[in-house]
Structure formats: C-alpha cells, structure tokens
Amino acid sequence: MPEKEQALASLEILIETCKAARVSLNSLSQSTSDTESASVDVLRKDTLSIHRLIHTSSTRLSVALGKQPPSYPIALVPLKDLTSQVGQLTSCTTVFPPGLLRKEAVWAAETTIQALEALAQHFATICRQNKADDQEYLIKTGAVHDAVMKAAELSESEIDAAVKRWKVNAESLEDSLGEVKEMMEEKREADSEDATDDGWDELGEGFSDTLSVEEMDRVKKVFPLLRFTTMLHGKLLSHHILKPPRGTTTTIPHLDVLVAFSNSLVVASDDLASSLYAPQNLETIQESAEHVFQVITDLDSELGITKVDQEDLAEQLQRLQLGNGSECLTWFRRCFSQINAVYTNLHIM
C-alpha cells in the first residue's frame, strides 16, 4: 500500500478509536459502579503520564504531516502510538473509583481525546483532498496541548476535587448575590432624560432595568435568602470539606452529594437573581425562590441538622466562630432556621 494511503488508513483508525473512547467515557461518567483498581495516587500518575505521551505524539504527528510536502512514513509511528495511547487513557480512566475524582478524570480524558480526534480529522481531510495545509493544524495541535495542560491540574484526592468545584461555585453564588445587591444600591430615575439606552428595545424585548417601588420591595425581601444561602455554602466548605468533622476519614461518604447540592444551588440562585430584573414576573420569582429553598431543605435533610426556633440572627451568624464542636452545629441550625424564616416571609410578596 502506498505511504499516503497507509497514513490515511491509520488516521481513520485513530479517528474511530477516539470516537469509541468518547462513547465509553460518556457512559462511564453516568455510572456509579465500582471496580477493583490500584490506588488513586497510582491511577492519577498513570493518567497524567499518558496525557503527556499524547502531547508528545501529537506534536510528532503535526511535524510530520504539517510540513510541505507531508512526510507520510514518519507519521505512521506517532499515529500508531496515539491509537494505543487513546486506548490506554480510556482503560486507565475507567478504573477510577466512582466519585468526584473520576468525573474530573473523565472530563480531562474526553477533552484531550476530542481535541486529538479533531486534529486527526483535519489531517485526514487534507490527505483526501490532496491540498496543502492552511496552517490550521497548528491551532488544532495547540488545542491538544491545552487539553493536556488542563489535565495536569487533575485533583489529588476526592476532597481536593470537592474543594476545587466548591470554590468555583462559591464565586458564582457571590456573583448572584452581587447582582441583587447592585440592584438595591442603584438609584435610577425611570423618567430621567439621561437614561442610557441598553439596546434591548431594538431587539423587541422591551427590557428595562428600572425597578418600580413594588419591584424594589421584592428585591429587598429576596436578598436575605441569597445572602444566608451564600453564607451557608461558605461555611460548609470550611466545616465539611476543608475541615471534616472529627472521626471522619478523608473519604467523606456524602462528599459527592454535597457537591451536587452546591451545583444545584448555583443554578437556583442564578435563576432567582435573574428573575428580579425589571420587568418582574411575581410567579417566576416565587418559583425561583422555591427552587432555592428546596435545595436547602434537601441539604438539611442530608446533613441531618435539626432546626431551632426562628429568630433574627443575622448579626449573630456573622459573629459565631467556626469549629467542629457544638458551637458550629449551633451555627448551622440557626442558619437553616433563618433561611426558613426568610423564605416564609416571601409568601407575603
């Protein structure tokens, strides 16, 4: 078989291998089944090692096929290596135990393999059409390298993975809280001649960022709900994740569940903040607030924290110190209680 046809056949094998790998990884991300495997530390090192090999092999492939004229014989070796490495990466990722670290490893593998598949598709197209490369291969090779660099940030443990996701979510919650706080601080005159045209009217949306007195009152009632839930989210990071309760091993049974609640709270809080922009829809606001409260209620049930009498504890919540004893438990009980009180107050909007 001529060298060019050999290279094209190898490219197609690599492409099909990448497609099969992504299907396998996608099904793995939905699975909770456990398999016997090496330690997480060993799996992590092996996974990162394979990612680095893909980085090297993809570079060699690009050097061989990117130059003019392409060097098809030289490309055969990295193509064979890459096909093998994709299989190895998939197999290694498959044996990670269920949890947050597996999800990270799956995401990293999928990202790298998808970028590699795009690079192989590009070279296959160039090869079939018998045309000179337009340098796009440099961008696609860079995408593979970027994916490998991202994979190098793979967490070292379940707790590290949880903290990483929790901090990202915390920023999102602060953004939502900041949006609502900004609404309260802004003082705009609805009929001001200097009002800035935001361009929404041109799109036929009829959007206005000026809140009526009634709408501003709703914002002020909703703000405490977002404030207390954001505070609760922050304290859970320091109490349950960074500093697990005494007697708890490094593998916290409900850690992945807590992160799932965190993810849900981000979505619910963002929806609630967005619902407060003018013109408001009361039903949408109430539904969004209910979603936030339901997430918190489910979280309360998961943690098994009993609520105490409802009272205004805003200042006390800020003063209470963290710890792994009764004082911290009291903080959580009061925070859940305050959230319940704030949500109850929203029914009179």
Side-chain angles (χ1 to χ4, degrees), residues 127-159:
C127 190
R128 292 191 197 98
Q129 296 178 352
N130 291 314
K131 67 178 184 179
D133 194 281
D134 54 5
Q135 302 299 305
E136 186 179 347
Y137 81 95
L138 294 174
I139 298 175
K140 296 190 179 298
T141 304
V144 177
H145 293 175
D146 288 343
V148 171
M149 290 176 64
K150 283 290 184 181
E153 300 172 4
L154 183 65
S155 300
E156 296 183 2
S157 67
E158 283 291 294
I159 290 181

Side-chain angles (χ1 to χ4, degrees), residues 69-108:
S71 181
Y72 297 114
I74 295 178
L76 294 176
V77 174
L79 280 170
K80 180 180 179 181
D81 291 342
L82 285 168
T83 300
S84 174
Q85 289 155 7
V86 168
Q88 292 169 8
L89 180 59
T90 304
S91 298
C92 189
T93 305
T94 300
V95 293
F96 269 86
L100 301 172
L101 195 54
R102 175 197 271 186
K103 291 178 181 178
E104 266 196 43
V106 168
W107 178 85

